[in-house]
């Protein structure tokens, strides 16, 4: 499968999720900006995938990231980020969302398992009520310490300023 084939519009994703469910597969959902792929992302997504059968990744659009993180972000455009994320063998589907939170996307997908990093308490995870109300699970996975896009950007800026 080509990475482009794993990038879905919401209507097509919902058809795919229904197909996976009809085969008895558990749907795991997570979300994020994933501006610069790093070890922390890879480790997190790999752990998330192991919680179920299919991993759906909600990816913030460029406009959404700019509203959340400021006008200097994202560093890469949304289709570049989507292709990179879709290329990972443990990511089964990527869908873009333009809101600041993935709540509407979670309501539409109705995942069996909602996952975020352990820097969140379950009660802080957007959509936890939706998933739990239908009998699904909300989980956190341990993050690799010291890895973040913000830290990488700061290190690059510090190195450039030192020259």
């Amino acid at each position: 499968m080509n990475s482009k084939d794993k990038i879905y519009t919401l209507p097509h994703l919902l058809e795919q999720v229904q197909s996976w469910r009809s085969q008895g597969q558990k749907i795991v959902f997570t979300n994020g900006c994933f501006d610069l792929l790093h070890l922390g992302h890879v480790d997190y997504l790999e752990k998330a995938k192991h919680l179920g059968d299919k991993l759906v990744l909600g990816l913030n659009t460029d406009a959404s990231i700019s509203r959340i993180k400021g006008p200097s972000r994202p560093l890469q455009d949304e289709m570049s980020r989507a292709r990179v994320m879709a290329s990972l063998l443990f990511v089964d589907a990527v869908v873009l969302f333009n809101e600041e939170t993935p709540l509407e996307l979670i309501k539409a997908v109705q995942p069996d398992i909602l996952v975020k990093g352990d820097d969140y308490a379950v009660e802080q995870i957007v959509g936890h009520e939706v998933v739990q109300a239908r009998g699904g699970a909300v989980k956190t996975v341990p993050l690799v310490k010291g890895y973040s896009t913000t830290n990488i950007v700061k290190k690059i800026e510090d190195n450039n300023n030192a020259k």
Side-chain angles (χ1 to χ4, degrees), residues 3 15 32 43 128 154 160:
S3 60
E15 289 174 17
D43 186 76
H128 74 274
K154 184 176 178 347
N160 284 338

Side-chain angles (χ1 to χ4, degrees), residues 16-45:
Q16 182 62 65
V17 166
Q18 184 177 8
S19 173
W20 288 332
R21 276 212 174 93
S22 71
Q23 299 166 25
Q25 298 184 320
K26 286 201 180 290
I27 309 302
V28 179
F29 179 90
T30 194
N31 67 281
C33 300
F34 300 98
D35 205 358
L36 288 177
L37 185 63
H38 54 70
L39 174 63
H41 290 144
V42 171
D43 186 76
Y44 164 72
L45 293 168

